[in-house]
Amino acid sequence: AVVNSFDYFDKTFPGRDVSFVFPNPPAVANLATTLVITQLSNKYSFNARVLFSMCIITAMTLFVPIGAKMFQDTDFGMNIILVSLFVMGFNNTICYASTAGLCSQIDGKYTGFFLIGVAIFGLVMNFVKEGVLLVLDPVDDSDLESILWFFGITTAFLVIGFVLHFIFIKSEFYHVK
């Protein structure tokens, strides 16, 4: 959601080169996650890692646009958002790796389905962002409304992911602990 919203964050933090700076915390978080994912996998189940990381991602998805508006055009606000992006990136990598691992434990074909789903979801999110912009037609002063709708829809997709995960773990396919 954040990558699709650089235009909003460019307006919220003018002169801070958001399109260059914002991708860095998730990239660093991805590297950091690789250092601890093995320890996490030894300590926590797939299910626990997926659900906990989705909770954090959902909370950060709700916080980022509101926090950016609350602390707009301040160094403090920029730093809060960068820390939030790091936390989101860290938990996103945990969730992605754990979900991919869970799929590979069931049957190899489900890993392929998972990867295809991730790619399709990226396209869907691009279409959702464009749809929100077309429907709401934001002007410079009302872009908060469109970004809140976009992040709200993103949060709804995350909640759907929670529901689907719970349905899955109650199914006959779930035998991984």
Side-chain angles (χ1 to χ4, degrees):
V2 174
V3 172
N4 288 333
S5 305
F6 281 168
D7 54 339
Y8 169 74
F9 294 106
D10 270 333
K11 292 176 189 172
T12 308
F13 299 105
R16 290 192 169 81
D17 200 10
V18 166
S19 60
F20 175 75
V21 175
F22 272 29
N24 292 324
V28 172
N30 189 19
L31 293 173
T33 308
T34 60
L35 300 174
V36 298
I37 192 72
T38 305
Q39 289 78 17
L40 290 173
S41 66
N42 291 334
K43 192 170 185 177
Y44 302 105
S45 69
F46 284 114
N47 191 33
R49 292 192 313 260
V50 168
L51 291 175
F52 182 76
S53 61
M54 283 184 72
C55 286
I56 300 298
I57 293 167
T58 302
M60 291 293 106
T61 300
L62 291 170
F63 171 75
V64 166
I66 296 167
K69 191 64 173 179
M70 285 174 40
F71 303 110
Q72 74 181 39
D73 203 16
T74 65
D75 290 336
F76 177 75
M78 183 71 167
N79 290 330
I80 290 288
I81 299 304
L82 292 176
V83 169
S84 299
L85 292 176
F86 178 87
V87 171
M88 284 178 79
F90 187 85
N91 284 283
N92 186 55
T93 303
I94 290 170
C95 188
Y96 182 88
S98 299
T99 306
L102 181 64
C103 290
S104 70
Q105 296 293 316
I106 298 165
D107 188 352
K109 69 180 179 182
Y110 292 110
T111 304
F113 294 154
F114 169 71
L115 295 173
I116 291 168
V118 168
I120 291 171
F121 189 71
L123 293 172
V124 166
M125 291 310 299
N126 284 322
F127 289 130
V128 167
K129 174 69 187 305
E130 294 306 316
V132 167
L133 290 176
L134 285 172
V135 169
L136 295 178
D137 191 28
V139 292
D140 289 338
D141 295 333
S142 67
D143 57 349
L144 179 63
E145 180 184 1
S146 66
I147 209 67
L148 288 177
W149 270 103
F150 176 61
F151 275 77
I153 292 169
T154 303
T155 302
F157 280 128
L158 288 167
V159 170
I160 291 168
F162 276 113
V163 171
L164 291 175
H165 186 76
F166 281 116
I167 290 170
F168 170 72
I169 62 174
K170 300 287 186 205
S171 74
E172 70 273 4
F173 293 106
Y174 186 71
H175 54 80
V176 180
K177 300 297 175 205

